[in-house]
Amino acid sequence: MDIFVSNVKCLTERLLQKQLANTDEVIEKLFCEDFPRVTPLDPQLEESAIQLWNWAVTKRVGTAINEHQKAKVRHVACKLLYSCEPENPAEGAVRKQILMASKTGRTWLDCKKPQLADNFLSLAVKSLETLYSRLTSRGHGGADINTSKGDVEKDLLRVLSYQAESALAQENHQEAVACMQRCKDMLLRLPKETGYLSLMCYNFGVDSYNMKKHEESSFWLSQSYDIGKMNIKYSPGAEVQAKVLRLLATVYLKWDCQQFQEKALNAVNLANKESVHPSGLYLKIRILLRCGAQDDHIRAGVTELLESEVPLEVCLSTVKLLMAEDRETLAFDYLKRVCQHFESSPELGSALVLHIELLLQRGKELLGKQKIEDIITGHYTGKQLSPQTLTCLHLLLWDKASKNFEAKNFSEALQWYNYSLSFYKAGQMEPNLAKLQRNRASCLLQLQQLDKAKEAIKEAERCDPNSIFTQFSVYKIAVLENNVEKAAEAVKAIGALAQGPVTSEDRLLVAENAASNLLSLAAQIALENEQQDTAMKALESLCEHSKDEAQVLTALRCLVRLVLSTIEKASGEIRHANLDVLLSYLKMALQKVSQLSPGPSMAVEQRTEDANWFRKIAWNSALQCESSPDRMRDFFVFSYQLSQFCPPDRAVLMGQKTCLLMAAAASLELCRKSPHSDQTEQLTQALEHIQICWEVWKTLKASGDNTKDPTVILLLLYEFEARAKLNDPKVETVLESVLELDNIEIKVLETMAALAMEPPAHFPLLCKKALRIALSLHRKQPQADLARCSQCVHSLIQLSLPSGVSDVEARVLEEVWGYYEEALSIITAAPEDFPEMEILWLLTRAWNTGILLYSLAQYPEAERWCGLGMSFLRHLGSLQESYQTQVLLTDCGREGGRGQQWSVTGLSHPESNERPRPRLKLENV
C-alpha cells in the first residue's frame, strides 16, 4: 500500500511540474496503476486526486493536453477519490464524487470509449441516488431541500441520458430505451429538460439513420417528437419538430416506401402543418413519386409547392425529379406553369434554359431551337439572361455541338456553335469567344469553307493570341494553304507556349502533355498533306518540349524514317547535312532511352525495343559513311551506347565489339588525315574505344569459341598505332603481347614495324625488333617470299646504317653487317628470285658506307665494306657490267684521293611503303 501511495504521489508531483517534457509518459504510468480499495481515508491520495483533477481542467483550458489525455487524468483522479472513500462519506464528498464521475464518463464518451465511460456513469448514478436518499430523509419542509433535490434529479437525468448514449454506441438498443424511459418519467418533475431530451433523441435518430438502422432511427425520431409535445412551453419549437418529422418521413422512405407509405405521408404532412418549409413540400412529392401515386395526387402536390411561394430553385429541382421518375407530361406542364409564375423574375432564365435542356434530352430539337431563338431575341430586347444562366446555356449549346462534331454532323455542329456566338457582341474580348471561334473554324474546315475558317481564326487571334490552340488552328490553315513559312512560325509559337500550363479545350485531349499531343497532331496533318519538312519541324518541336520520354522516342522514330528517305535521294553536301541531322536524332534517342524509368516488365521491354531499333539504324547508317570517317565513328559509337540498354546476349555483345572496333579504326583514319598537332584527341578516343572493346571481348571469349575471330590482332594493332603516335611508352608492352600470341602472322609484325616509324611515331628499336622477328619467320617458311624477305632486310639496313659521320659506331656497323650477311644468304639460296634493284641497292649502300669510312681514315673497315659491296656484283644481271666499271674506276682512284661517292635512288623506304589497313566485312542489320 505504501508503495502505491508513494508512486501516485511521485507521479502526481512530476505531472504538476511546469516544464515537463514527457507528459504523455507520466499520464500513461498513472493510468496503468493498479488501484486497491484503501481504508481508512488516505489524505495524501485525496489530495493527489484533487490536484490531478484541477491540473486536467487548467491544462485543458490552454489546450496543452488532448481529449484522450484529459480523460485519462480524470479517470485516475476519480478512481483515487473513490478508492479512499469512507463508509459514510460527507455530503460534500458525495457531491464531489458525482461531479468527477459524471464528467469523467462524459469525457470518455466524447473520446468514443463508451466501455470506459460505463463504470463512471454507474458510479455517478449510485452517488446521486445516495445523495437523493439523504436529502429525502431530512423531510420535505425546507425550500433549500427541495431545490437541492431538484438539482440532483436534473443531474441524474443528464447521467441517465449519457448512459443511453453509451448503450447506443455499444449497439445495446434496449438498454438505451430503458435509460431514456427513466428520463421521460422524470420530465413531469423537470419540464425544463423537455427540449434537451427531445434533441438528445433526435441526435440518436440521426446517428441510427446514418448507420442505416432505419427501425431504431424511426423509434428515436418518434420519441423526439413525442417528448417535444409533452410540454409545448419547453419544447424545441415548431421548426425543430417539423425537422424531426421530415427526417422521420425520410427514414420511412429509405426503409421501405411501399410498406410505410402511409406513415411517411403522415409524417411529412404533419411536418408541413407544424412549419411549412420547401424541403417538406418537396419531400412529399418525392414520397408520392416513390409510391407510384397517380398524376392527380402529384399534380396537387406540385400545385401546393407553387402556391407556397417557394424559391424558383426548388421548383426546378421538382421538375428534374419528375423527369427522373418518367413523369414527362407532368414535368413539362409544371415547368410551363413555373415559367408563367416567375415571368417577371430576373431568375426566369434558369427555367428557360432547363426547358431547353429537357427538350433536347427528349430529342425535341426543333422545339429546343425555337426556344433558343426566342432567348436570343429576348437577349437583344432587354430580356437578358444572368451571367451564370448564360454560362449554363453556352455549355449546353457547346455540348450539343461537340456531340454532333464527333458524329461528323459538321453542319449541325456549326449551327449550335453559331447559336452560342449570337450572344456575343461585335468586338467583344473574351477567351471563351476565342475558343468558340476555334471550334467554329474546325467545323468550317471540315466543310471545306477555308475562307470562313480563316475569318474565324482571325477573330480567335484577336481575342486570345497567346493560346496554344489558336496557334494550332493557324497552323492547320497554313498547311492547307501550303504556306510553309506560316506553318513554321505557328509550330515555333506552339513550342514556346508549351512551356506554360495548357487550359482545357473542347474536343481535344488535355492533360499534362497536351502541347505535345498538339505537336504530334500537327506533324500528322503535315504528312497527310505531303509536307515533310513542316512535319519534321513539328516533330522536332515535340521532341524539344515534351516531358514524356516514350512520346519523344515515337516522334524520333518518325523523324529518323523521314530523314532516311531524304538521305536516299540526296548526294554530296546535302547528304552529309542530312547525316548530321540523323546523328542529332540518335543522340536525343540515346538520352531519352537512358531516361526511361524501368518499372513494370512492359516498360523494360519497351525500352529494349526502342534501344534495339535505334541501334540498328545507327549501325546501318555507319555502313553508308565509308567516305566520312568522323560520321562513321559517331554512328558506331551511338550504336554501341544504345546496345547497352539491350539484353547482353551473344549477338548484342558481338555487335558491341564490332562497333567499338570500327569506331577505333575510324578515329585512327581521321588521325592519319589530320595534321600532327590535331591528332591527340582522335588517338585518345581510339584508345578509349579499344579499352572498352577489350572488356567486351573478355566477356565474349568466356561465352563461346572464338578461335577464328581476328579481334585480338586488330585490337593490338589499333592500340599499337594509337600509343605509338601518342609517344606512349606502353607501346612496347603491346608489341610483347603480339609476340606472345600463337601462330602470329608475319604481316602483323610488318605492319607494326611500319606503324612504329609512321610520323609522328618514332620507335626505331621496336621497328627493328618486329622486322627481325618477321624476317626470322619468313626464313622458316617452307617457301619463303623473297620479295618480302628483301623488304625486311632493306628496312633493317635502312634503319641501322649510319646517316652521317657522327653516327659511325663499331657496334652499329656490326649489326648492319649481320643484316648484309642475311641478305647474301638469301640471295645465294635463290639468286634468280631476288629483285635485281634490291641487290643494286644493297651494293651501293655497302659501297658508300665503305667510302664514308675511308673518308674517316678507317682504311681496313673501308676496304671491308667496299669488298662487301663488290660481293653483290656477281648477283647483278643486266646492270653488272655497268656498275663493275664504276666500282673499278673508284677503286683505281683510291690512292689519289677520296674517290667518288655515289648512290642509287628511287627504292622503297619503310615509311612510304603502302600497307593494307585492317578492315571488317560488315553487313546491314
Side-chain angles (χ1 to χ4, degrees):
M1 182 60 66
D2 291 339
I3 295 175
F4 169 74
V5 175
S6 176
N7 285 344
V8 169
K9 187 176 180 181
C10 179
L11 290 170
T12 302
E13 288 174 354
R14 286 181 61 190
L15 201 59
L16 296 177
Q17 292 176 8
K18 290 184 177 181
Q19 301 296 329
L20 181 63
N22 56 342
T23 304
D24 191 45
E25 181 183 342
V26 176
I27 291 174
E28 196 63 32
K29 286 182 178 179
L30 274 169
F31 184 68
C32 295
E33 280 286 345
D34 186 18
F35 290 83
R37 175 73 180 178
V38 182
T39 55
L41 175 64
D42 191 322
Q44 290 183 341
L45 287 181
E46 185 177 11
E47 182 184 357
S48 295
I50 300 302
Q51 287 176 331
L52 287 171
W53 185 268
N54 292 336
W55 181 87
V57 172
T58 56
K59 285 293 181 182
R60 182 57 186 161
V61 171
T63 64
I65 59 174
N66 59 39
E67 197 69 17
H68 275 80
Q69 289 173 326
K70 171 187 171 184
K72 288 179 179 179
V73 175
R74 285 189 166 183
H75 181 110
V76 173
C78 192
K79 286 189 72 174
L80 281 173
L81 190 66
Y82 273 94
S83 68
C84 57
E85 176 189 16
E87 291 187 7
N88 190 19
E91 184 176 321
V94 175
R95 289 185 183 277
K96 196 180 296 181
Q97 289 175 345
I98 293 169
L99 172 69
M100 293 174 71
S102 60
K103 286 189 176 294
T104 303
R106 179 69 259 176
T107 308
W108 278 126
L109 281 178
D110 293 338
C111 293
K112 310 298 183 188
K113 300 286 186 180
Q115 298 90 342
L116 293 174
D118 282 347
N119 182 48
F120 293 99
L121 294 176
S122 297
L123 288 173
V125 170
K126 181 181 177 183
S127 296
L128 281 165
E129 289 174 344
T130 299
L131 180 58
Y132 190 82
S133 176
R134 289 188 183 183
L135 292 173
T136 303
S137 65
R138 295 181 189 176
H140 304 280
D144 57 337
I145 297 297
N146 291 331
T147 301
S148 297
K149 286 170 60 178
D151 291 339
V152 172
E153 286 185 321
K154 183 178 177 181
D155 289 341
L156 180 59
L157 183 140
R158 294 289 172 129
V159 175
L160 288 171
S161 70
Y162 296 163
Q163 286 186 318
E165 182 179 348
S166 178
L168 278 180
Q170 298 176 69
E171 299 187 357
N172 194 337
H173 178 66
Q174 293 304 321
E175 185 177 340
V177 171
C179 291
M180 191 53 65
Q181 187 59 48
R182 288 188 64 184
C183 292
K184 283 178 66 177
D185 294 340
M186 296 171 69
L187 282 180
L188 294 175
R189 299 187 298 278
L190 301 167
K192 291 183 180 181
E193 298 300 313
T194 300
Y196 166 78
L197 213 56
S198 176
L199 290 175
M200 181 68 78
C201 289
Y202 173 73
N203 290 336
F204 292 168
V206 171
D207 292 340
S208 300
Y209 174 72
N210 290 334
M211 292 187 289
K212 302 186 185 306
K213 296 180 178 180
H214 297 123
E215 185 174 2
E216 293 181 14
S217 179
S218 64
F219 169 81
W220 290 114
L221 292 171
S222 298
Q223 287 290 306
S224 176
Y225 178 67
D226 291 342
I227 291 171
K229 289 195 304 178
M230 289 177 66
N231 192 311
I232 301 301
K233 181 179 178 181
Y234 297 109
S235 72
E239 291 184 0
V240 176
Q241 289 286 79
K243 185 178 180 180
V244 172
L245 289 168
R246 286 195 296 272
L247 181 55
L248 179 59
T250 303
V251 170
Y252 287 132
L253 181 66
K254 296 285 186 180
W255 189 1
D256 189 336
C257 187
Q258 297 300 323
Q259 182 179 349
F260 300 107
Q261 172 183 348
E262 200 65 34
K263 288 186 177 183
L265 283 173
N266 287 340
V268 76
N269 285 330
L270 193 54
N272 292 335
K273 285 181 182 179
E274 289 278 355
S275 177
V276 177
H277 192 276
S279 60
L281 298 172
Y282 182 77
L283 178 59
K284 180 178 179 180
I285 296 170
R286 281 183 61 201
I287 295 170
L288 288 170
L289 287 169
R290 287 286 302 277
C291 296
Q294 295 180 358
D295 285 357
D296 291 342
H297 293 153
I298 297 171
R299 189 175 288 109
V302 296
T303 300
E304 183 182 4
L305 186 68
L306 194 60
E307 291 174 350
S308 299
E309 298 298 329
V310 297
L312 175 61
E313 183 182 353
V314 177
C315 294
L316 298 184
S317 296
T318 305
V319 172
K320 294 176 184 177
L321 178 63
L322 291 169
M323 292 296 291
E325 295 292 337
D326 294 327
R327 302 294 180 109
E328 183 177 321
T329 304
L330 278 175
F332 279 112
D333 179 61
Y334 181 59
L335 184 56
K336 183 178 179 181
R337 292 170 61 192
V338 169
C339 290
Q340 292 171 352
H341 185 79
F342 289 92
E343 188 174 4
S344 58
S345 171
E347 300 176 359
L348 176 63
S350 57
L352 297 174
V353 171
L354 177 62
H355 197 171
I356 294 169
E357 183 181 356
L358 294 177
L359 287 171
L360 296 179
Q361 284 179 0
R362 292 300 185 269
K364 300 177 181 181
E365 290 195 357
L366 289 176
L367 285 174
K369 288 179 179 179
Q370 183 180 344
K371 290 286 183 184
I372 293 168
E373 291 167 4
D374 290 342
I375 291 178
I376 294 171
T377 303
H379 183 73
Y380 290 99
T381 57
K383 296 181 178 179
Q384 294 183 346
L385 302 177
S386 67
Q388 183 179 0
T389 304
L390 185 57
T391 299
C392 292
L393 180 58
H394 279 306
L395 291 174
L396 182 64
L397 296 172
W398 287 24
D399 181 66
K400 193 69 180 173
S402 178
K403 289 176 180 176
N404 277 284
F405 190 94
E406 291 172 1
K408 302 188 184 302
N409 298 325
F410 304 116
S411 297
E412 190 72 10
L414 181 62
Q415 184 178 9
W416 290 105
Y417 282 129
N418 285 338
Y419 280 144
S420 180
L421 183 63
S422 301
F423 290 96
Y424 289 96
K425 297 178 182 178
Q428 188 172 346
M429 295 287 290
E430 188 180 331
N432 278 337
L433 178 56
K435 182 177 177 181
L436 175 59
Q437 292 289 13
R438 291 194 294 266
N439 290 341
R440 291 183 67 249
S442 296
C443 296
L444 290 164
L445 287 175
Q446 292 293 340
L447 294 170
Q448 298 184 353
Q449 298 179 26
L450 185 59
D451 291 338
K452 290 185 178 180
K454 286 174 67 177
E455 291 176 7
I457 292 305
K458 283 182 181 178
E459 280 297 301
E461 282 190 284
R462 182 184 64 81
C463 296
D464 192 10
N466 294 324
S467 166
I468 196 170
F469 298 105
T470 297
Q471 294 302 323
F472 179 71
S473 299
V474 171
Y475 171 85
K476 284 194 293 185
I477 291 176
V479 170
L480 291 173
E481 291 183 325
N482 200 20
N483 189 335
V484 176
E485 185 177 348
K486 186 74 172 176
E489 291 176 0
V491 166
K492 185 176 179 181
I494 292 171
L497 292 168
Q499 302 302 311
V502 179
T503 56
S504 179
E505 181 80 349
D506 191 30
R507 291 178 292 95
L508 288 174
L509 175 64
V510 175
E512 292 182 2
N513 57 348
S516 302
N517 291 339
L518 284 180
L519 288 168
S520 178
L521 187 57
Q524 181 180 338
I525 291 169
L527 290 174
E528 289 172 354
N529 288 273
E530 299 180 353
Q531 296 182 28
Q532 181 170 317
D533 289 343
T534 301
M536 291 180 71
K537 284 183 173 63
L539 289 169
E540 286 171 353
S541 184
L542 167 62
C543 294
E544 180 182 354
H545 297 105
S546 177
K547 296 179 181 179
D548 185 340
E549 286 82 8
Q551 186 182 45
V552 172
L553 286 168
T554 301
L556 284 170
R557 283 196 184 203
C558 188
L559 280 169
V560 166
R561 292 189 184 100
L562 291 173
V563 77
L564 284 175
S565 66
T566 305
I567 290 172
E568 291 174 0
K569 304 172 186 176
S571 60
E573 291 300 320
I574 296 177
R575 186 172 186 274
H576 287 161
N578 286 330
L579 284 170
D580 291 338
V581 171
L582 180 58
L583 276 169
S584 69
Y585 294 159
L586 290 172
K587 182 178 181 180
M588 187 179 294
L590 174 63
Q591 179 186 3
K592 296 302 176 182
V593 166
S594 66
Q595 290 173 354
L596 282 176
S597 301
S601 57
M602 286 302 294
V604 175
E605 292 174 6
Q606 184 61 46
R607 185 171 77 167
T608 300
E609 182 186 341
D610 286 328
N612 199 40
W613 192 88
F614 287 106
R615 175 184 73 86
K616 292 177 180 179
I617 292 294
W619 175 285
N620 293 335
S621 301
L623 300 185
Q624 308 302 317
C625 298
E626 288 189 6
S627 62
S628 181
D630 55 341
R631 293 183 179 88
M632 175 182 279
R633 175 199 61 200
D634 292 343
F635 278 121
F636 273 124
V637 168
F638 280 132
S639 183
Y640 162 72
Q641 290 173 331
L642 286 161
S643 71
Q644 290 181 296
F645 298 98
C646 300
D649 55 27
R650 186 170 179 81
V652 169
L653 289 171
M654 289 291 290
Q656 289 181 347
K657 177 205 71 174
T658 304
C659 286
L660 292 166
L661 273 175
M662 294 304 296
S667 295
L668 292 173
E669 185 66 25
L670 281 170
C671 170
R672 298 180 195 116
K673 295 179 179 180
S674 302
H676 293 171
S677 59
D678 299 336
Q679 290 182 359
T680 302
E681 183 178 353
Q682 286 93 346
L683 293 170
T684 304
Q685 283 184 350
L687 272 180
E688 289 175 0
H689 302 323
I690 291 165
Q691 295 305 317
I692 300 171
C693 193
W694 275 120
E695 297 302 319
V696 175
W697 171 248
K698 289 176 184 176
T699 306
L700 267 173
K701 190 176 180 182
S703 64
D705 182 20
N706 301 279
T707 51
K708 297 182 180 180
D709 196 311
T711 299
V712 173
I713 292 297
L714 290 173
L715 283 172
L716 289 170
L717 278 173
Y718 292 162
E719 186 175 356
F720 185 88
E721 179 176 358
R723 294 193 184 280
K725 290 180 178 178
L726 284 171
N727 198 27
D728 187 340
K730 293 182 180 179
V731 67
E732 187 173 356
T733 306
V734 180
L735 177 59
E736 293 299 325
S737 298
V738 172
L739 298 177
E740 291 173 2
L741 296 176
D742 297 332
N743 302 320
I744 184 173
E745 294 184 13
I746 302 172
K747 186 178 180 181
V748 172
L749 292 169
E750 292 173 342
T751 302
M752 295 182 80
L755 289 172
M757 297 300 293
E758 185 176 89
H762 186 75
F763 289 91
L765 294 178
L766 290 181
C767 179
K768 288 195 289 182
K769 183 176 182 179
L771 288 171
R772 284 197 297 269
I773 298 171
L775 181 60
S776 173
L777 293 173
H778 273 305
R779 299 296 302 275
K780 292 178 182 179
Q781 298 293 320
Q783 291 184 342
D785 186 338
L786 295 182
R788 292 176 68 183
C789 286
S790 69
Q791 194 171 17
C792 285
V793 173
H794 179 109
S795 297
L796 284 166
I797 294 172
Q798 183 78 7
L799 285 167
S800 304
L801 275 175
S803 57
V805 174
S806 60
D807 296 330
V808 176
E809 294 181 13
R811 177 184 58 78
V812 174
L813 291 175
E814 283 303 313
E815 180 186 348
V816 179
W817 188 273
Y819 298 147
Y820 266 97
E821 288 181 338
E822 188 79 23
L824 275 173
S825 68
I826 295 170
I827 294 170
T828 303
E832 296 180 359
D833 296 335
F834 205 88
E836 185 178 14
M837 292 303 294
E838 188 64 30
I839 296 172
L840 179 60
W841 184 85
L842 291 167
L843 183 155
T844 56
R845 291 306 299 271
W847 182 265
N848 287 341
T849 301
I851 297 301
L852 175 62
L853 292 168
Y854 180 81
S855 68
L856 297 174
Q858 297 183 23
Y859 303 122
E861 283 297 311
E863 183 177 7
R864 183 184 178 209
W865 277 95
C866 287
L868 176 64
M870 294 179 66
S871 66
F872 286 95
L873 272 173
R874 66 177 179 272
H875 298 294
L876 284 175
S878 59
L879 297 174
Q880 181 176 358
E881 183 177 346
S882 171
Y883 280 93
Q884 187 172 13
T885 302
Q886 293 185 53
V887 168
L888 289 173
L889 285 172
T890 305
D891 188 51
C892 291
R894 185 170 53 188
E895 291 184 2
R898 290 178 57 192
Q900 182 183 6
Q901 186 174 356
W902 47 270
S903 63
V904 178
T905 60
L907 296 178
S908 298
H909 188 276
E911 289 89 340
S912 62
N913 284 350
E914 185 177 345
R915 66 183 185 283
R917 298 296 183 191
R919 287 289 182 187
L920 294 175
K921 184 178 180 181
L922 304 178
E923 298 179 356
N924 283 358
V925 178

